Amino acid sequence: YEYDVITDLDLDRHPSLINGYKTVIISGHSEYWSARAYDAVEKYLDGGGNLAVLSGNSVFWRVSFNEDYTVMECRKYPEGMLGSKMTEVGQLYHTDDKKRGGLMRFCGYPAWKLIGLETAGWCNDMKFDHYKMEMPNHFLFNSPHKIALKKGDAFGFVTDKLGCVGHEYDVRLPVLIKASKNPPNIIEPGGILSLARSYSKNKIIDYNANDERANPTQIISEIIYWEKKNGGRVFNIGSVAAPWGVYKDKNLGLLMNNVLYHFGAR
């Protein structure tokens, strides 16, 4: 494939940079986002763009930059979400743009609204697990490459026993809402399909970021396809090790190949 590479800083400086590309891929561990970058990707999707997300813990903390791009600012609150003991609510506001900092979901830029998944938490002790097939008849598993998996079959491995789901992982909004105490009154956009899921008994961070809580669904990560109302399309593998799985696992690699085919990158 022919591709160009841009950084988070490039996208904030030049939000129109991604316009015209057949597909935009977010790869790795895309945790820190600026509002300008979020708006740029949202505008790209609203214009009919295609987005493939190979990341976990995506679109999590808000950052901003000073005028000459020599300082990137991030405010972390509360303590349980990696903030310091000295962090107070009044320190949430950025020096650069005077707007609220902290988690993107609390700053008006929720990940679920842009990429369909939201961070469920992290676990350093979790054994990296695999995905289970949910929708074997979906066209992304059948065209142009037929992926010979049945419902419930395992895939997404990096070794014979080690999967690509672990450390940090993303799920759909209803999973977080069901695990939340006093959940907000928000509704997931229509059209999101769970192509595959990974399950774990690990606790997850609830939507309000108050504490780790039991997960009634036991869904810890999802692979989704989303045809957005305004015409854009999103494919998302919600794990920090998603690129590793695409590289190592034949079935996940074929799935990515199918996605790029249908997203116009052939």
Side-chain angles (χ1 to χ4, degrees), residues 4-259:
D4 296 322
V5 176
I6 68 169
T7 68
D8 298 340
L9 191 64
D10 293 329
L11 188 56
D12 188 273
R13 276 177 163 162
H14 310 289
S16 63
L17 195 58
I18 57 177
N19 295 348
Y21 281 93
K22 292 183 174 68
T23 302
V24 170
I25 298 175
I26 299 169
S27 183
H29 188 164
S30 194
E31 181 176 354
Y32 295 87
W33 278 61
S34 71
R36 281 166 61 86
Y38 185 105
D39 289 340
V41 174
E42 187 171 51
K43 184 177 180 180
Y44 168 78
L45 285 170
D46 287 346
N50 300 303
L51 183 69
V53 185
L54 312 180
S55 172
N57 194 210
S58 303
V59 197
F60 197 56
W61 293 105
R62 188 177 86 83
V63 300
S64 63
F65 302 92
N66 63 349
E67 288 187 5
D68 63 2
Y69 284 91
T70 57
V71 177
M72 180 178 73
E73 184 174 3
C74 181
R75 301 277 175 155
K76 293 194 172 183
Y77 170 88
E79 181 185 350
M81 296 302 292
L82 305 180
S84 70
K85 292 182 179 180
M86 300 300 292
T87 302
E88 301 292 343
V89 175
Q91 294 177 317
L92 275 173
Y93 292 84
H94 284 220
T95 304
D96 296 325
D97 59 15
K98 314 303 180 188
K99 296 178 181 179
R100 176 183 169 145
L103 298 185
M104 291 289 282
R105 66 178 78 158
F106 299 149
C107 298
Y109 303 96
W112 58 266
K113 189 177 178 182
L114 184 69
I115 62 172
L117 297 179
E118 187 75 46
T119 297
W122 46 83
C123 181
N124 293 325
D125 298 328
M126 176 183 172
K127 177 188 175 184
F128 276 63
D129 217 329
H130 57 266
Y131 286 103
K132 289 185 177 180
M133 169 67 81
E134 294 287 344
M135 299 184 67
N137 295 325
H138 192 272
F139 73 90
L140 287 179
F141 288 112
N142 292 278
S143 170
H145 301 287
K146 172 68 176 178
I147 299 174
L149 294 171
K150 303 184 296 296
K151 184 176 173 62
D153 281 355
F155 69 107
F157 290 92
V158 294
T159 69
D160 290 341
K161 296 182 179 180
L162 193 66
C164 69
V165 180
H167 183 48
E168 297 183 338
Y169 27 79
D170 295 0
V171 295
R172 288 172 58 178
L173 182 61
V175 175
L176 283 188
I177 294 299
K178 288 178 182 178
S180 297
K181 182 179 180 181
N182 302 318
N185 185 24
I186 50 178
I187 300 174
E188 180 185 67
I192 301 177
L193 301 175
S194 293
L195 305 182
R197 294 187 173 109
S198 184
Y199 296 86
S200 171
K201 294 181 180 179
N202 282 49
K203 292 182 178 180
I204 61 174
I205 303 291
D206 78 353
Y207 191 88
N208 298 315
N210 290 325
D211 198 3
E212 286 189 319
R213 300 193 183 279
N215 180 3
T217 68
Q218 295 191 359
I219 299 168
I220 204 73
S221 179
E222 301 185 70
I223 301 176
I224 64 160
Y225 174 69
W226 181 16
E227 294 185 357
K228 302 192 78 170
K229 186 177 180 180
N230 293 339
R233 296 181 291 180
V234 176
F235 172 77
N236 193 338
I237 305 176
S239 173
V240 97
W244 196 19
V246 168
Y247 180 67
K248 287 286 190 178
D249 185 89
K250 177 183 177 181
N251 291 314
L252 200 56
L254 285 175
L255 176 60
M256 188 67 202
N257 190 278
N258 287 354
V259 169

